[in-house]
Amino acid sequence: MSRIPMIAGNWKMNLNRDESVRLVKAIAGTIGPMDDPEVLVAPPFTVLSVVKEAIGQGKILLGAQNVHWELEGAYTGEISPAMLKEAGCTHVILGHSERRSIFMETDAMIDRKSKAVVEMGLIPIVCIGETLEQREAGKTFEIIQGQLDGSLRNFRENKGMPSTAVLAYEPVWAIGTGRTATPQQAQEVHRFVRDWLRSQFGQGLSTATRILYGGSVKPDNIKELMAMPDIDGALVGGASLKADSFTRIIKFRA
Ligand code: PGA
């Protein structure tokens, strides 16, 4: 079974309204052929609706960068899954390493979020990844396994995860540093994640689930990353902010 690649742009806390609309329109203008990957953009909350409007009936998918696990209530400063759905999102990035390290998000919080997101009919993109210190201490697989066990606990206990759910391996040392994991380093972890999926949910789901790589993905390294058997796409930060570089990543097959 072949998995349709996904290229997702994580805009982080960048771009104003005009820049966002201009960027998404420029990307939309280049997407066409059937063999292109699925393309997703994840803008800041305040421009989700306007980006959705700019996408119109186009094929670009809209994602948010974070969410709260409750549907409503006294949670000052938070955004609920229902609000994201209303804004036109289909996907939500969860547990990005910046959320984990700067905003103290734990696996348990990410677990609650993934459950809430799926209950709302949204698709989670759950991020995992080790720090440089953890890698150098030989703890990469232990850390990845702990994050998977903790962040997807609800799905594990119910022996079910939607096959649309996406995982993203983002080694923290490769994010925004220009230092990409080698395709072999990434593949090794992706394979580990796929084996973990098989052990928890069975062969079918393990084969169907897309695992994205993230961390300094650029037009000049996407092709070799995508050549790896367990890398099904990319979560792109810096290079997703310019139409030219993001489009070249989308067109990695060209
Ligand atoms: P980067 O970010 O491509 O700028 O390294 C990736 C990410 O944080 O998702």
Side-chain angles (χ1 to χ4, degrees), residues 1-8 36-40 61 90-91 123-128 148 152 161-169 190 193-194 197 204-213 226 229-234:
M1 185 188 149
S2 66
R3 295 174 289 271
I4 300 169
M6 170 184 265
I7 303 293
D36 272 349
E38 260 181 33
V39 176
L40 177 143
L61 302 168
T90 49
H91 291 68
I123 300 172
I125 302 176
V126 179
C127 303
I128 49 171
L148 289 168
L152 304 174
M161 181 170 93
S163 60
T164 46
V166 178
L167 301 181
Y169 169 55
H190 281 235
V193 173
R194 203 171 301 288
L197 284 169
L205 194 98
S206 146
T207 309
T209 303
R210 285 176 297 181
I211 309 171
L212 313 183
Y213 168 79
M226 291 304 291
D230 292 296
I231 299 183
D232 308 312

Side-chain angles (χ1 to χ4, degrees), residues 10 12 93 96-98 127 170 174-178 214-218 235-240:
N10 173 10
K12 306 193 180 182
I93 298 172
H96 187 279
S97 68
E98 286 148 18
C127 303
E170 299 205 304
I175 295 177
T177 57
S216 298
V217 173
K218 301 275 175 324
L235 182 52
V236 187
S240 74

Side-chain angles (χ1 to χ4, degrees), residues 22 29 43 50 152 193 220:
R22 226 177 300 134
V50 54
L152 304 174
V193 173
D220 61 7

Side-chain angles (χ1 to χ4, degrees), residues 132-209:
L132 185 59
E133 200 183 5
Q134 291 162 339
R135 173 163 281 263
E136 286 176 344
K139 292 195 174 144
T140 300
F141 295 119
E142 188 187 318
I143 295 295
I144 298 296
Q145 169 148 6
Q147 291 176 342
L148 289 168
D149 284 346
S151 311
L152 304 174
R153 181 156 162 225
N154 215 277
F155 298 145
R156 278 199 303 123
E157 288 180 353
N158 292 304
K159 295 267 168 251
M161 181 170 93
S163 60
T164 46
V166 178
L167 301 181
Y169 169 55
E170 299 205 304
V172 179
W173 47 272
I175 295 177
T177 57
R179 186 178 163 186
T180 336
T182 65
Q184 291 72 23
Q185 280 173 323
Q187 166 59 23
E188 191 182 39
V189 178
H190 281 235
R191 165 56 57 85
F192 179 84
V193 173
R194 203 171 301 288
D195 288 345
W196 180 90
L197 284 169
R198 182 170 349 91
S199 73
Q200 300 297 325
F201 305 111
Q203 182 68 44
L205 194 98
S206 146
T207 309
T209 303

